[in-house]
Amino acid sequence: MSRAVFLIATIFCAAPAFAQTAYFAAIPDLPIATGLAESENQQTSFATSDDAGLVMATAHGAPMPDQVRAFYTESLSALGWAYEPAQGSEDLTFLRGRERLVLNIAPHDGGTQLRVRLIVRPASMNAD
């Protein structure tokens, strides 16, 4: 009986956290940092073939750039992304398989503007 109560309490407490997480419409497995909102009509998607392409999206909001950077550096590894330090760039870059995620985080109107680029490379002819 106590396990059932614990399970129900766990689900009840976790539900608000899941309900508050928003994701980009064009990139459904990429969360939007807490406090940001996806910019409407700022999505672009290009497919160069069946397995390659580029997706771009934007979000903005009140959190400061450092808070947004911390959100992504702390949360993306749980989604399979590996941080890749980029030389000479302020952008955050992450890799996952054939995907490269580039986050440009800049101050904007007292908060932050986030520009996202998801680049998917074509599969190798040698079957990787």
Side-chain angles (χ1 to χ4, degrees):
M1 181 67 158
S2 64
R3 286 184 183 173
V5 171
F6 177 75
L7 180 61
I8 292 170
T10 302
I11 292 170
F12 180 74
C13 291
F18 287 112
Q20 294 176 0
T21 302
Y23 294 85
F24 283 94
I27 312 169
D29 65 341
L30 180 64
I32 299 173
T34 305
L36 296 185
E38 186 169 9
S39 304
E40 292 185 26
N41 302 320
Q42 296 293 314
Q43 303 172 22
T44 307
S45 180
F46 302 98
T48 58
S49 68
D50 288 342
D51 65 348
L54 169 70
V55 178
M56 296 185 294
T58 328
H60 63 280
M64 299 309 295
D66 289 342
Q67 293 171 304
V68 175
R69 282 182 166 284
F71 174 86
Y72 286 109
T73 55
E74 293 170 7
S75 64
L76 288 180
S77 64
L79 298 171
W81 292 98
Y83 175 69
E84 179 187 57
Q87 295 179 351
S89 174
E90 292 296 315
D91 294 345
L92 289 178
T93 303
F94 296 87
L95 301 174
R96 182 174 70 181
R98 297 181 304 116
E99 299 171 304
R100 176 182 297 271
L101 179 66
V102 181
L103 305 175
N104 176 269
I105 301 166
H108 181 71
D109 290 339
T112 297
Q113 181 170 27
L114 169 66
R115 291 188 180 105
V116 177
R117 290 185 321 248
L118 175 63
I119 303 143
V120 181
R121 295 174 293 167
S124 169
M125 296 301 287
N126 298 333
D128 286 290

